[in-house]
Amino acid sequence: MIQTTLIAEPGKQEYFMSVTFDAPRELVFKTYTDPNTIAEWWGPRRLTTTVDQMDVRKGGVWRYVQHDSKGNEYAFSGVYHESVAPERLVQTFEFEGMPGQAGLVVVTFEELPGGKTKLTEQSIFPSLAARDGVIQSGMEAGAKELFERFAELLAKLQA
Amino acid sequence: MIQTTLIAEPGKQEYFMSVTFDAPRELVFKTYTDPNTIAEWWGPRRLTTTVDQMDVRKGGVWRYVQHDSKGNEYAFSGVYHESVAPERLVQTFEFEGMPGQAGLVVVTFEELPGGKTKLTEQSIFPSLAARDGVIQSGMEAGAKELFERFAELLAKLQA
């Protein structure tokens, strides 16, 4: 069982989500940035996620679409500012259902003893209201499920 | 004489810089996003600025290099998240001399009565320390000079 930690200080337009995986950093980075694995872990189990675009390099565009059983679609997209394998990824992020609220996500991959890797996502928003709206939408439970799926995928890749 | 207004609330990892130009919004947006004009206004007069890359579209990369009289170079770069002419531009921003400190800039172009345009740059940083460092580096004086040059260019284009 993995543990996901959310730090969202009052009054700050950012939050930090951290989780430690029992897998080496190279594998964690490679899996996190592989378009072919997104459908297996990005988002909750009840939705199907498809990758419309995902070109992990400076200026590359990413766009994921989530589909529910009723045919609704939820699209998220952004661009990569930098990809420094296996250490850091910086990208913009926008929920297309709320245009004009793009944020910045800084993902760091830190090597820990015993072949483990600590992944931290810093999400920076254009306003405190935008951050709080995302947190109140149930983001934390969603992120826990997403990282559980990611840990299962890493275990499968190492089996 | 134009007036530049800086709003940097204590404890927030962002600042807002606003300035009103005596020019229509279409011209302000077009000039702001034209690679051929950057050398005439982007940065202080004592430095020469060259455009290495500037491709204003989602995923496009921009990179400017400033040169001083001693041969030193200062490079800034980022990617465009979106360009919504003539209203809004969202892009990442990084001073290459301080890698790993990328921020997000949201530029809005607002039509005012009398053919004027209010331009606002919201600069969002990965930390409060990063924002305060930029402000303490003399950013405000630099921005005033930059927008004075931009206003001169707009006047010339309308002459």
Side-chain angles (χ1 to χ4, degrees), chain A residues 22 46 64 68 121:
Chain A
D22 193 6
R46 65 184 175 80
Y64 306 158
D68 69 13
E121 290 180 352

Side-chain angles (χ1 to χ4, degrees), chain B residues 1-5 18-20 144:
Chain B
M1 191 64 175
I2 58 157
Q3 187 172 345
T4 306
T5 306
S18 294
V19 54
T20 297
K144 280 183 197 294

